[in-house]
Amino acid sequence: MLVILPPSETKSDGGKSAPLDLESLSLPELTGVRRRIADALVALSGDLESSRAALGLGTTDAAIAEVSRNAELWTAPTRPAITRYTGVLYDALDYPGMTRASRTKAADRLMIGSALFGVVSAADLIPAYRLSGGSRLPGFGTLGSVWKPVLSPALDAIDDFVVDLRSGVYQKLGPVDGAVTATVVTEYADGSRKVVSHFNKHYKGLVAHELVRTRRTVRDVNALASVLSDAGQRVEITSGLEITVVTEG
């Protein structure tokens, strides 16, 4: 089983490993596009105003720091992707609290979508950076037009049951044929349902946590729903390729 997580805008600082080595990352067939985008991002960082516009940043000191991260893309220290991305989903995933056995499973079962790298495995060593799936780099058009021709074939070639938890903009960078997706909705007392961003991220993190730690073989949507239901989540099978996780408002 392979679970593809969304990335996060927030990322941890620093790292203890050597600078970025694209050839060491998973799915080496993506190296050429990764290099093109990385070089463009570094070049763009030399123009603060253009960087702000392309990356959707403001004028705060934090925004300037994000541009500085991109400028140091080739020289900054790296850390495993699973500890680089932070935020609500990754808090719920709770990688730091996992047992050694679960961490090993996480390295085998988790990949993370990325506007810069396409996807990376949990163990891939990456630096901090700023680039979103909806960003437009000068001379590139949409990132989807760059990634889709190479990323979809690379992911489709993985011979495994895929659970795609990426948000829509990252799924569009490289759709996976036959992947199961998950929607999280909050159900209120009157029976109405609504997608709420915070709960969506939190419960997708819990989904990923359970899929990392399970000892069961998950090869279809029924087994997926069973694992999550046994973990206490309310799950509905929407179709052969989609589940809905229902939370209470």
Side-chain angles (χ1 to χ4, degrees):
M1 172 178 53
L2 172 66
V3 182
I4 309 179
L5 302 176
S8 61
E9 295 288 4
T10 56
K11 299 173 184 70
S12 59
D13 291 318
K16 297 182 179 179
S17 297
L20 178 63
D21 175 12
L22 292 180
E23 283 74 18
S24 72
L25 301 183
S26 303
L27 301 183
E29 59 267 45
L30 304 180
T31 299
V33 176
R34 287 165 171 162
R35 189 176 302 280
R36 284 178 55 209
I37 296 177
D39 284 342
L41 204 55
V42 172
L44 179 65
S45 67
D47 184 332
L48 181 58
E49 294 307 314
S50 295
S51 289
R52 286 173 176 167
L55 303 176
L57 298 173
T59 58
T60 64
D61 290 343
I64 296 173
E66 295 281 24
V67 176
S68 297
R69 280 179 164 183
N70 288 348
E72 299 168 359
L73 197 61
W74 293 117
T75 58
T78 58
R79 65 166 66 233
I82 196 63
T83 64
R84 177 65 72 192
Y85 297 99
T86 62
V88 174
L89 185 148
Y90 289 88
D91 288 344
L93 174 65
D94 191 25
Y95 178 79
M98 289 183 182
T99 64
R100 182 177 298 179
S102 289
R103 289 189 178 196
T104 298
K105 290 180 182 178
D108 291 337
R109 295 179 180 178
L110 296 181
M111 297 195 87
I112 303 166
S114 168
L116 173 55
F117 301 113
V119 294
V120 289
S121 77
D124 281 341
L125 300 173
I126 61 172
Y129 67 92
R130 178 60 180 259
L131 184 66
S132 302
S135 300
R136 283 179 173 264
L137 296 176
F140 275 77
T142 67
L143 289 174
S145 68
V146 178
W147 274 122
K148 189 174 180 179
V150 294
L151 183 54
S152 281
L155 292 173
D156 286 341
I158 297 174
D159 185 20
D160 214 337
F161 174 68
V162 178
V163 181
D164 191 349
L165 299 181
R166 293 175 295 173
S167 58
V169 67
Y170 286 97
Q171 288 180 359
K172 290 178 181 177
L173 296 185
V176 184
D177 187 38
V180 172
T181 60
T183 300
V184 180
V185 299
T186 299
E187 184 175 85
Y188 298 93
D190 63 1
S192 64
R193 291 181 173 184
K194 183 179 180 180
V195 175
V196 181
S197 177
H198 177 86
F199 289 109
N200 181 63
K201 294 175 182 178
H202 175 75
Y203 278 90
K204 282 188 175 180
L206 295 181
V207 166
H209 180 87
E210 294 303 330
L211 295 181
V212 165
R213 66 189 296 269
T214 185
R215 296 180 180 180
R216 294 163 61 179
T217 300
V218 180
R219 292 178 178 167
D220 58 39
V221 70
N222 295 299
L224 170 62
S226 179
V227 166
L228 299 178
S229 295
D230 289 349
Q233 298 197 42
R234 180 180 166 192
V235 179
E236 298 173 357
I237 298 176
T238 312
S239 73
L241 295 177
E242 184 181 11
I243 62 168
T244 298
V245 178
V246 183
T247 69
E248 294 184 0

CSV table of all heavy atoms in Angstrom, one decimal, residues 204-247:
chain,number,residue,atom,x,y,z
A,204,LYS,N,-7.4,13.6,7.8
A,204,LYS,CA,-6.5,12.9,6.8
A,204,LYS,C,-5.2,12.5,7.5
A,204,LYS,O,-4.6,11.4,7.2
A,204,LYS,CB,-6.2,13.8,5.6
A,204,LYS,CG,-7.4,13.9,4.7
A,204,LYS,CD,-7.1,14.6,3.4
A,204,LYS,CE,-8.2,14.5,2.4
A,204,LYS,NZ,-7.9,15.3,1.1
A,205,GLY,N,-4.7,13.3,8.5
A,205,GLY,CA,-3.6,12.9,9.2
A,205,GLY,C,-3.8,11.6,10.0
A,205,GLY,O,-3.0,10.7,10.1
A,206,LEU,N,-5.0,11.5,10.6
A,206,LEU,CA,-5.4,10.3,11.4
A,206,LEU,C,-5.5,9.1,10.5
A,206,LEU,O,-5.1,8.0,10.8
A,206,LEU,CB,-6.7,10.6,12.1
A,206,LEU,CG,-6.6,11.6,13.2
A,206,LEU,CD1,-8.0,11.7,13.9
A,206,LEU,CD2,-5.6,11.3,14.3
A,207,VAL,N,-6.1,9.3,9.3
A,207,VAL,CA,-6.2,8.2,8.3
A,207,VAL,C,-4.8,7.7,8.0
A,207,VAL,O,-4.5,6.5,8.0
A,207,VAL,CB,-6.9,8.7,7.0
A,207,VAL,CG1,-6.7,7.7,5.9
A,207,VAL,CG2,-8.4,9.0,7.2
A,208,ALA,N,-3.9,8.6,7.7
A,208,ALA,CA,-2.5,8.2,7.3
A,208,ALA,C,-1.9,7.5,8.5
A,208,ALA,O,-1.2,6.4,8.3
A,208,ALA,CB,-1.7,9.4,6.9
A,209,HIS,N,-2.1,7.9,9.7
A,209,HIS,CA,-1.5,7.3,10.9
A,209,HIS,C,-2.0,5.9,11.0
A,209,HIS,O,-1.1,4.9,11.2
A,209,HIS,CB,-1.9,8.1,12.2
A,209,HIS,CG,-1.4,7.5,13.4
A,209,HIS,ND1,-0.2,7.9,13.9
A,209,HIS,CD2,-1.9,6.6,14.3
A,209,HIS,CE1,0.1,7.2,15.1
A,209,HIS,NE2,-1.0,6.4,15.3
A,210,GLU,N,-3.2,5.6,10.8
A,210,GLU,CA,-3.8,4.3,10.9
A,210,GLU,C,-3.3,3.4,9.8
A,210,GLU,O,-3.0,2.2,10.0
A,210,GLU,CB,-5.3,4.3,10.9
A,210,GLU,CG,-5.9,4.9,12.2
A,210,GLU,CD,-5.4,4.3,13.5
A,210,GLU,OE1,-5.1,3.1,13.5
A,210,GLU,OE2,-5.4,5.1,14.5
A,211,LEU,N,-3.1,3.9,8.6
A,211,LEU,CA,-2.6,3.1,7.5
A,211,LEU,C,-1.1,2.8,7.6
A,211,LEU,O,-0.7,1.8,7.1
A,211,LEU,CB,-2.9,3.8,6.2
A,211,LEU,CG,-4.4,4.0,5.9
A,211,LEU,CD1,-4.6,4.7,4.5
A,211,LEU,CD2,-5.1,2.7,5.9
A,212,VAL,N,-0.4,3.6,8.3
A,212,VAL,CA,1.0,3.3,8.6
A,212,VAL,C,1.1,2.2,9.6
A,212,VAL,O,1.9,1.3,9.4
A,212,VAL,CB,1.7,4.6,9.1
A,212,VAL,CG1,3.1,4.2,9.7
A,212,VAL,CG2,2.0,5.6,7.9
A,213,ARG,N,0.3,2.3,10.7
A,213,ARG,CA,0.5,1.3,11.8
A,213,ARG,C,-0.2,0.0,11.6
A,213,ARG,O,0.2,-1.0,12.3
A,213,ARG,CB,0.1,2.0,13.1
A,213,ARG,CG,-1.4,2.3,13.2
A,213,ARG,CD,-1.7,3.1,14.4
A,213,ARG,NE,-1.4,2.4,15.6
A,213,ARG,CZ,-2.3,1.6,16.3
A,213,ARG,NH1,-3.6,1.4,15.8
A,213,ARG,NH2,-2.0,1.0,17.4
A,214,THR,N,-1.2,-0.1,10.7
A,214,THR,CA,-1.9,-1.3,10.6
A,214,THR,C,-1.0,-2.5,10.1
A,214,THR,O,-0.1,-2.3,9.3
A,214,THR,CB,-3.1,-1.2,9.6
A,214,THR,OG1,-3.8,-2.4,9.6
A,214,THR,CG2,-2.6,-0.9,8.2
A,215,ARG,N,-1.3,-3.7,10.6
A,215,ARG,CA,-0.6,-4.9,10.2
A,215,ARG,C,-1.4,-5.6,9.1
A,215,ARG,O,-1.0,-6.7,8.6
A,215,ARG,CB,-0.4,-5.8,11.4
A,215,ARG,CG,0.5,-5.2,12.4
A,215,ARG,CD,0.7,-6.2,13.6
A,215,ARG,NE,1.6,-5.6,14.6
A,215,ARG,CZ,1.9,-6.3,15.7
A,215,ARG,NH1,1.4,-7.5,16.0
A,215,ARG,NH2,2.7,-5.7,16.6
A,216,ARG,N,-2.6,-5.1,8.8
A,216,ARG,CA,-3.4,-5.8,7.8
A,216,ARG,C,-3.0,-5.4,6.4
A,216,ARG,O,-2.5,-4.4,6.2
A,216,ARG,CB,-4.9,-5.4,8.1
A,216,ARG,CG,-5.4,-5.9,9.4
A,216,ARG,CD,-6.7,-5.2,9.9
A,216,ARG,NE,-7.8,-5.4,9.0
A,216,ARG,CZ,-9.0,-4.9,9.2
A,216,ARG,NH1,-9.2,-4.2,10.3
A,216,ARG,NH2,-10.0,-5.1,8.3
A,217,THR,N,-3.3,-6.3,5.5
A,217,THR,CA,-3.1,-6.0,4.1
A,217,THR,C,-4.3,-5.2,3.5
A,217,THR,O,-5.4,-5.7,3.6
A,217,THR,CB,-2.9,-7.4,3.3
A,217,THR,OG1,-1.8,-8.1,3.8
A,217,THR,CG2,-2.7,-7.1,1.8
A,218,VAL,N,-4.0,-4.1,3.0
A,218,VAL,CA,-5.0,-3.2,2.4
A,218,VAL,C,-4.8,-3.2,0.9
A,218,VAL,O,-3.8,-2.6,0.4
A,218,VAL,CB,-4.9,-1.8,3.0
A,218,VAL,CG1,-6.0,-0.9,2.4
A,218,VAL,CG2,-5.1,-1.9,4.5
A,219,ARG,N,-5.8,-3.8,0.2
A,219,ARG,CA,-5.6,-3.8,-1.3
A,219,ARG,C,-6.8,-3.3,-2.0
A,219,ARG,O,-6.9,-3.3,-3.2
A,219,ARG,CB,-5.3,-5.3,-1.7
A,219,ARG,CG,-4.0,-5.8,-1.3
A,219,ARG,CD,-3.8,-7.2,-1.7
A,219,ARG,NE,-2.4,-7.7,-1.3
A,219,ARG,CZ,-2.1,-9.0,-1.4
A,219,ARG,NH1,-2.9,-9.9,-1.7
A,219,ARG,NH2,-0.8,-9.3,-1.0
A,220,ASP,N,-7.9,-2.9,-1.3
A,220,ASP,CA,-9.0,-2.3,-1.9
A,220,ASP,C,-9.8,-1.4,-1.0
A,220,ASP,O,-9.4,-1.3,0.2
A,220,ASP,CB,-10.0,-3.4,-2.5
A,220,ASP,CG,-10.4,-4.4,-1.4
A,220,ASP,OD1,-10.7,-3.9,-0.2
A,220,ASP,OD2,-10.5,-5.6,-1.6
A,221,VAL,N,-10.8,-0.7,-1.5
A,221,VAL,CA,-11.5,0.3,-0.7
A,221,VAL,C,-12.2,-0.3,0.5
A,221,VAL,O,-12.4,0.3,1.5
A,221,VAL,CB,-12.5,1.1,-1.6
A,221,VAL,CG1,-13.7,0.2,-2.0
A,221,VAL,CG2,-13.0,2.3,-0.9
A,222,ASN,N,-12.7,-1.6,0.4
A,222,ASN,CA,-13.4,-2.2,1.5
A,222,ASN,C,-12.4,-2.5,2.7
A,222,ASN,O,-12.8,-2.2,3.8
A,222,ASN,CB,-14.0,-3.5,1.0
A,222,ASN,CG,-15.1,-3.3,0.0
A,222,ASN,OD1,-16.1,-2.7,0.3
A,222,ASN,ND2,-14.9,-3.8,-1.2
A,223,ALA,N,-11.2,-3.0,2.4
A,223,ALA,CA,-10.2,-3.2,3.4
A,223,ALA,C,-9.8,-1.9,4.0
A,223,ALA,O,-9.6,-1.8,5.3
A,223,ALA,CB,-9.0,-3.9,2.8
A,224,LEU,N,-9.7,-0.8,3.2
A,224,LEU,CA,-9.3,0.5,3.7
A,224,LEU,C,-10.3,1.0,4.7
A,224,LEU,O,-10.0,1.5,5.8
A,224,LEU,CB,-9.2,1.5,2.5
A,224,LEU,CG,-9.1,3.0,2.8
A,224,LEU,CD1,-7.8,3.2,3.6
A,224,LEU,CD2,-9.1,3.8,1.5
A,225,ALA,N,-11.6,0.9,4.3
A,225,ALA,CA,-12.7,1.4,5.2
A,225,ALA,C,-12.7,0.6,6.5
A,225,ALA,O,-13.0,1.1,7.6
A,225,ALA,CB,-14.0,1.3,4.5
A,226,SER,N,-12.5,-0.7,6.4
A,226,SER,CA,-12.5,-1.6,7.6
A,226,SER,C,-11.4,-1.2,8.6
A,226,SER,O,-11.6,-1.1,9.8
A,226,SER,CB,-12.3,-3.0,7.1
A,226,SER,OG,-12.3,-3.9,8.2
A,227,VAL,N,-10.2,-0.9,8.1
A,227,VAL,CA,-9.1,-0.5,9.0
A,227,VAL,C,-9.4,0.8,9.7
A,227,VAL,O,-9.2,0.9,10.9
A,227,VAL,CB,-7.8,-0.3,8.2
A,227,VAL,CG1,-6.7,0.4,9.0
A,227,VAL,CG2,-7.2,-1.7,7.7
A,228,LEU,N,-10.0,1.7,9.0
A,228,LEU,CA,-10.3,3.0,9.6
A,228,LEU,C,-11.5,2.9,10.5
A,228,LEU,O,-11.5,3.5,11.6
A,228,LEU,CB,-10.6,4.0,8.5
A,228,LEU,CG,-9.4,4.3,7.5
A,228,LEU,CD1,-9.9,5.3,6.5
A,228,LEU,CD2,-8.2,4.8,8.3
A,229,SER,N,-12.5,2.1,10.2
A,229,SER,CA,-13.6,1.9,11.1
A,229,SER,C,-13.2,1.2,12.4
A,229,SER,O,-13.7,1.6,13.4
A,229,SER,CB,-14.7,1.1,10.4
A,229,SER,OG,-15.3,1.7,9.2
A,230,ASP,N,-12.4,0.2,12.3
A,230,ASP,CA,-11.9,-0.5,13.5
A,230,ASP,C,-11.1,0.5,14.4
A,230,ASP,O,-10.9,0.2,15.6
A,230,ASP,CB,-11.0,-1.7,13.1
A,230,ASP,CG,-11.9,-2.8,12.5
A,230,ASP,OD1,-13.1,-2.7,12.6
A,230,ASP,OD2,-11.3,-3.7,11.9
A,231,ALA,N,-10.5,1.5,13.8
A,231,ALA,CA,-9.8,2.5,14.5
A,231,ALA,C,-10.7,3.6,15.1
A,231,ALA,O,-10.2,4.5,15.8
A,231,ALA,CB,-8.7,3.2,13.7
A,232,GLY,N,-12.0,3.5,14.9
A,232,GLY,CA,-12.9,4.4,15.5
A,232,GLY,C,-13.4,5.5,14.7
A,232,GLY,O,-14.1,6.4,15.1
A,233,GLN,N,-13.0,5.5,13.4
A,233,GLN,CA,-13.5,6.6,12.5
A,233,GLN,C,-14.8,6.1,11.8
A,233,GLN,O,-15.0,5.0,11.5
A,233,GLN,CB,-12.4,6.9,11.4
A,233,GLN,CG,-11.1,7.4,12.0
A,233,GLN,CD,-10.2,8.1,11.0
A,233,GLN,OE1,-10.7,8.9,10.2
A,233,GLN,NE2,-8.9,7.8,11.1
A,234,ARG,N,-15.6,7.1,11.5
A,234,ARG,CA,-16.9,6.8,10.8
A,234,ARG,C,-16.6,7.0,9.3
A,234,ARG,O,-16.3,8.1,8.9
A,234,ARG,CB,-17.9,7.8,11.3
A,234,ARG,CG,-19.3,7.6,10.6
A,234,ARG,CD,-20.3,8.6,11.1
A,234,ARG,NE,-21.5,8.7,10.3
A,234,ARG,CZ,-22.4,9.6,10.4
A,234,ARG,NH1,-22.3,10.6,11.3
A,234,ARG,NH2,-23.4,9.6,9.5
A,235,VAL,N,-16.7,5.9,8.6
A,235,VAL,CA,-16.3,5.9,7.2
A,235,VAL,C,-17.4,5.4,6.3
A,235,VAL,O,-18.1,4.4,6.7
A,235,VAL,CB,-15.0,5.0,7.0
A,235,VAL,CG1,-14.6,5.0,5.5
A,235,VAL,CG2,-13.9,5.5,7.8
A,236,GLU,N,-17.7,6.1,5.2
A,236,GLU,CA,-18.6,5.6,4.2
A,236,GLU,C,-17.9,5.4,2.9
A,236,GLU,O,-17.0,6.1,2.5
A,236,GLU,CB,-19.7,6.7,4.0
A,236,GLU,CG,-20.5,7.0,5.3
A,236,GLU,CD,-21.5,8.2,5.1
A,236,GLU,OE1,-21.4,8.8,4.0
A,236,GLU,OE2,-22.2,8.5,6.0
A,237,ILE,N,-18.2,4.3,2.3
A,237,ILE,CA,-17.7,4.0,0.9
A,237,ILE,C,-18.5,4.7,-0.1
A,237,ILE,O,-19.7,4.3,-0.3
A,237,ILE,CB,-17.6,2.5,0.7
A,237,ILE,CG1,-16.7,1.8,1.7
A,237,ILE,CG2,-17.1,2.2,-0.7
A,237,ILE,CD1,-16.6,0.3,1.6
A,238,THR,N,-18.0,5.7,-0.7
A,238,THR,CA,-18.8,6.5,-1.6
A,238,THR,C,-18.8,5.9,-3.0
A,238,THR,O,-19.8,5.9,-3.7
A,238,THR,CB,-18.1,7.9,-1.8
A,238,THR,OG1,-17.9,8.5,-0.4
A,238,THR,CG2,-19.0,8.9,-2.5
A,239,SER,N,-17.7,5.2,-3.4
A,239,SER,CA,-17.6,4.5,-4.6
A,239,SER,C,-16.4,3.6,-4.5
A,239,SER,O,-15.8,3.5,-3.5
A,239,SER,CB,-17.4,5.5,-5.8
A,239,SER,OG,-16.1,6.0,-5.8
A,240,GLY,N,-16.1,2.9,-5.6
A,240,GLY,CA,-15.0,2.0,-5.6
A,240,GLY,C,-13.7,2.7,-5.4
A,240,GLY,O,-12.6,2.0,-5.1
A,241,LEU,N,-13.7,4.0,-5.6
A,241,LEU,CA,-12.4,4.7,-5.6
A,241,LEU,C,-12.5,5.9,-4.7
A,241,LEU,O,-11.7,6.9,-4.8
A,241,LEU,CB,-12.0,5.2,-7.0
A,241,LEU,CG,-11.7,4.1,-8.0
A,241,LEU,CD1,-11.4,4.8,-9.4
A,241,LEU,CD2,-10.5,3.3,-7.6
A,242,GLU,N,-13.5,5.9,-3.7
A,242,GLU,CA,-13.6,7.1,-2.8
A,242,GLU,C,-14.2,6.6,-1.5
A,242,GLU,O,-15.2,5.9,-1.5
A,242,GLU,CB,-14.4,8.2,-3.5
A,242,GLU,CG,-14.5,9.4,-2.6
A,242,GLU,CD,-15.3,10.5,-3.2
A,242,GLU,OE1,-16.0,10.3,-4.2
A,242,GLU,OE2,-15.3,11.7,-2.7
A,243,ILE,N,-13.7,7.2,-0.4
A,243,ILE,CA,-14.3,7.0,0.9
A,243,ILE,C,-14.6,8.4,1.4
A,243,ILE,O,-14.0,9.4,1.0
A,243,ILE,CB,-13.4,6.3,1.9
A,243,ILE,CG1,-12.1,7.0,2.2
A,243,ILE,CG2,-13.2,4.8,1.4
A,243,ILE,CD1,-11.3,6.5,3.3
A,244,THR,N,-15.6,8.5,2.3
A,244,THR,CA,-15.9,9.7,3.0
A,244,THR,C,-15.7,9.5,4.5
A,244,THR,O,-16.3,8.5,5.1
A,244,THR,CB,-17.3,10.2,2.7
A,244,THR,OG1,-17.5,10.5,1.3
A,244,THR,CG2,-17.7,11.5,3.5
A,245,VAL,N,-14.9,10.3,5.1
A,245,VAL,CA,-14.8,10.3,6.6
A,245,VAL,C,-15.7,11.3,7.2
A,245,VAL,O,-15.6,12.5,6.8
A,245,VAL,CB,-13.3,10.5,7.0
A,245,VAL,CG1,-13.2,10.5,8.5
A,245,VAL,CG2,-12.4,9.5,6.4
A,246,VAL,N,-16.6,10.9,8.1
A,246,VAL,CA,-17.6,11.8,8.6
A,246,VAL,C,-17.2,12.2,10.1
A,246,VAL,O,-17.0,11.3,10.9
A,246,VAL,CB,-19.0,11.2,8.6
A,246,VAL,CG1,-20.0,12.2,9.1
A,246,VAL,CG2,-19.3,10.7,7.2
A,247,THR,N,-17.1,13.5,10.3
A,247,THR,CA,-16.9,13.9,11.7
A,247,THR,C,-18.1,14.7,12.2
A,247,THR,O,-19.0,15.1,11.4
A,247,THR,CB,-15.7,14.9,11.7
A,247,THR,OG1,-16.0,16.1,11.1
A,247,THR,CG2,-14.5,14.2,11.0
